Amino acid sequence: MIDLAGWAERLGDLNLDLLFGVLTGLLLGFAGQRSTFCLRSAMVELSRGQARRRFAIWLLAFGAAILAVQAAALAGWFDSDAAQLMRQPGTLSGAAIGGLVFGVGMVMARGCSGRLLILASTGNLRSVTAGLIFALTVQATMFGTLAPARRLLAGLWTTGVEGNVDLLAATATGPLGGAILGVALIALAAFLARRHEVSVTTGTWALLTGVAAAVGWITTYALSQVAFEPITVESATFAAPSANLLMTLLSADAVRSFSLGLIPAVVVGAFLGALVGRELKWEGYGSAAQMLRSMSGGALMGFGGTLAGGCAIGAALSGTAIFTASAWLALLCFFLGAWAGDWIFDRRAAETHQQVRVQR
């Protein structure tokens, strides 16, 4: 048994919290890169009625996150009531509106926030640009010119309780019900993965991508039980941490925390994954129109993800794994937004282009 209290005393509570963020980020970055995990690709496949390879990979990670977190709860290693996402009031209007905006944005940027960070780590300059716009917009939405709009939209419809709504408690199913759902989702994902020739190696990395979200919850919860300093019980998310990291780099005023270690570690993990797979490659924009679309998508994701209370990782993986109502609503609206964005920017444009070719 790990003497966590002893490690906290030797290293310091905040340093250990930072280390847990690094460990979670390394796993998430490496596994996410090797598995090609991407919410945008999965949602586009689903919206077109073609739940294939990309959807199977995402569903493996999604099911693994749920199963790992709920199994930890059953074992007494985690309590969702202590999670920051569960303790703060949930905004359902924010989840719905922000989810729709985020969904459209990730189609325009051709990648969800998590995928952009991973691709940026492998030499994709398009993702670097869109990711920086994402981080700047998050900062503006949290504390800047867009903050009044966020507060207005978030206040339209809240959970009406002190904290968020725990769907497992509300349905009286508890962690066991959540674990059973996780097993069912993994079984469905495994069926789709086999049908669409997803390799065992890729599938394993997809499962570990989901496990990374559980690692964050479990480690920060365990530390919060023995630490003298107040420790936030949290897991992987890219919205708020990306803005905080950006401001830290600009001001050099670092506050040691899980989130501070997370994003740099994801970058390193994804880089190592691409290095192992020999997938490092410089890529840029092919046209000004492509650049404008990508940057606009990054801005929409920044505003939408902050308003929704989480991004493709924070809400759709970490948040859903602990069954907060706002996270599940955000996930639904991510899909609806992706469906709308795909129809507007890709499918309709392709149909118009095809019609023009036929007429010629």
Side-chain angles (χ1 to χ4, degrees):
M1 190 68 178
I2 298 176
D3 181 15
L4 193 59
W7 279 104
E9 184 176 350
R10 284 190 291 271
L11 298 178
D13 298 337
L14 299 182
N15 288 331
L16 190 56
D17 194 31
L18 177 69
L19 178 60
F20 286 151
V22 170
L23 295 176
T24 301
L26 287 172
L27 177 59
L28 181 60
F30 193 94
Q33 195 283 328
R34 300 310 303 148
S35 66
T36 66
F37 171 88
C38 180
L39 177 65
R40 192 272 309 180
S41 299
M43 295 296 98
V44 168
E45 277 192 354
L46 189 60
S47 70
R48 297 183 182 186
Q50 302 171 343
R52 297 179 178 176
R53 176 185 174 84
R54 296 290 190 177
F55 181 74
I57 290 171
W58 175 80
L59 194 60
L60 280 170
F62 182 61
I66 291 175
L67 176 58
V69 170
Q70 298 307 317
L74 287 171
W77 298 345
F78 174 69
D79 183 356
S80 63
D81 289 340
Q84 183 184 34
L85 280 177
M86 195 68 77
R87 295 169 67 91
Q88 63 189 21
T91 165
L92 300 181
S93 57
I97 299 170
L100 291 171
V101 172
F102 185 94
V104 173
M106 67 180 180
V107 170
M108 293 180 67
R110 298 191 181 279
C112 62
S113 52
R115 188 63 182 165
L116 288 183
L117 183 59
I118 289 173
L119 288 176
S121 309
T122 65
N124 190 311
L125 299 180
R126 300 190 304 270
S127 297
V128 171
T129 304
L132 286 173
I133 296 296
F134 170 79
L136 287 170
T137 307
V138 170
Q139 182 68 23
T141 306
M142 292 176 64
F143 308 111
T145 56
L146 296 176
R150 173 185 58 80
R151 289 192 291 266
L152 174 64
L153 295 174
L156 295 177
W157 183 22
T158 65
T159 54
V161 294
E162 183 177 346
N164 214 315
V165 174
D166 183 341
L167 294 177
L168 293 180
T171 56
T173 53
L176 179 59
I180 291 173
L181 176 61
V183 170
L185 291 173
I186 291 174
L188 174 59
F191 169 78
L192 292 173
R194 182 175 181 181
R195 183 175 182 180
H196 298 291
E197 300 181 343
V198 176
S199 69
V200 173
T201 301
T202 299
T204 301
W205 286 122
L207 290 170
L208 289 174
T209 301
V211 169
V215 169
W217 286 125
I218 294 168
T219 54
T220 56
Y221 173 74
L223 181 58
S224 72
Q225 301 303 295
V226 299
F228 177 77
E229 298 283 350
I231 298 296
T232 300
V233 179
E234 57 188 321
S235 189
T237 185
F238 293 153
S242 65
N244 293 336
L245 178 62
L246 182 62
M247 295 308 296
T248 296
L249 294 174
L250 293 175
S251 65
D253 184 20
V255 178
R256 291 163 295 168
S257 66
F258 176 92
S259 61
L260 182 65
L262 177 73
I263 291 184
V266 169
V267 171
V268 173
F271 174 81
L272 293 175
L275 185 64
V276 169
R278 298 182 179 180
E279 297 174 4
L280 292 172
K281 182 173 63 174
W282 293 112
E283 296 182 65
Y285 289 108
S287 66
Q290 185 186 42
M291 183 175 183
L292 179 61
R293 167 174 165 160
S294 177
M295 293 173 67
S296 300
L300 289 176
M301 282 197 293
F303 179 77
T306 307
L307 177 60
C311 59
I313 300 295
L317 203 64
S318 298
T320 52
I322 63 171
F323 285 85
T324 60
S326 59
W328 280 84
L329 178 58
L331 175 59
L332 172 63
C333 292
F334 289 164
F335 164 72
L336 295 176
W339 175 85
D342 181 52
W343 184 80
I344 295 170
F345 295 104
D346 292 329
R347 281 188 290 175
R348 192 172 66 171
E351 291 171 1
T352 301
H353 180 68
Q354 182 64 27
Q355 289 173 1
V356 170
R357 291 185 60 184
V358 170
Q359 291 173 358
R360 290 178 179 175

